[in-house]
């Protein structure tokens, strides 16, 4: 990729990952954002990681690379891990919204 004002860039094609249900289940739980004063809940439903919140219908998010998922509306969710590789939270990126932090507050979720 290049244009006349910048140095050429080399982009690599990637194939989205397809983690097994047991791996997806590690992301399940309740996450809280102090900034937005809300909770997001994730559960595995019909083999996909599904996001539940209070104001919209639940929707599936698709894995792209390890710890990153994409919603059909362009929202990106990037999960964070601690030194022991446990999932501790995630950041949301959507449109002009950047890095809204959520912290994992519960391992299991009921939807």
């Amino acid at each position: 990729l290049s244009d006349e004002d910048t140095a050429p860039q080399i982009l690599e094609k990637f194939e989205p990952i397809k983690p097994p249900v047991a791996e997806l289940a590690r992301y399940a739980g309740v996450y809280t954002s102090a900034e937005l004063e809300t909770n997001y809940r994730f559960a595995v439903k019909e083999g996909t990681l599904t996001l539940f919140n209070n104001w919209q219908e639940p929707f599936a998010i698709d894995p792209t690379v390890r710890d990153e998922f994409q919603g059909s509306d362009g929202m990106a969710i990037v999960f964070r891990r601690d030194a022991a590789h446990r999932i501790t939270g995630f950041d949301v990126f959507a449109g002009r919204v950047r890095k809204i932090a959520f912290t994992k507050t519960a391992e299991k979720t009921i939807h």
Side-chain angles (χ1 to χ4, degrees):
L1 178 67
S2 65
D3 68 27
E4 58 189 57
D5 295 333
T6 60
Q9 298 178 12
I10 298 173
L11 305 177
E12 295 181 36
K13 182 179 178 180
F14 79 95
E15 292 293 325
I17 62 170
K18 295 179 180 160
V21 171
E23 180 67 26
L24 291 175
R26 294 182 182 159
Y27 298 99
V30 178
Y31 297 79
T32 301
S33 170
E35 184 175 353
L36 297 181
E37 297 181 349
T38 192
N39 294 326
Y40 279 11
R41 296 175 320 244
F42 292 92
V44 177
K45 182 177 178 184
E46 298 177 8
T48 62
L49 191 61
T50 302
L51 170 60
F52 298 82
N53 62 33
N54 295 332
W55 60 88
Q56 61 189 144
E57 289 294 316
F59 62 92
I61 56 174
D62 298 314
T64 53
V65 296
R66 185 173 192 248
D67 293 339
E68 294 185 24
F69 292 78
Q70 186 90 30
S72 62
D73 61 355
M75 176 178 65
I77 295 174
V78 180
F79 286 90
R80 296 185 308 274
R81 294 178 184 260
D82 63 14
H85 304 287
R86 291 182 303 251
I87 297 167
T88 59
F90 66 88
D91 298 315
V92 172
F93 299 81
R96 294 186 298 183
V97 173
R98 299 280 183 250
K99 208 169 183 178
I100 300 293
F102 283 74
T103 302
K104 193 170 194 178
T105 56
E107 290 294 322
K108 302 284 183 183
T109 182
I110 298 173
H111 52 86

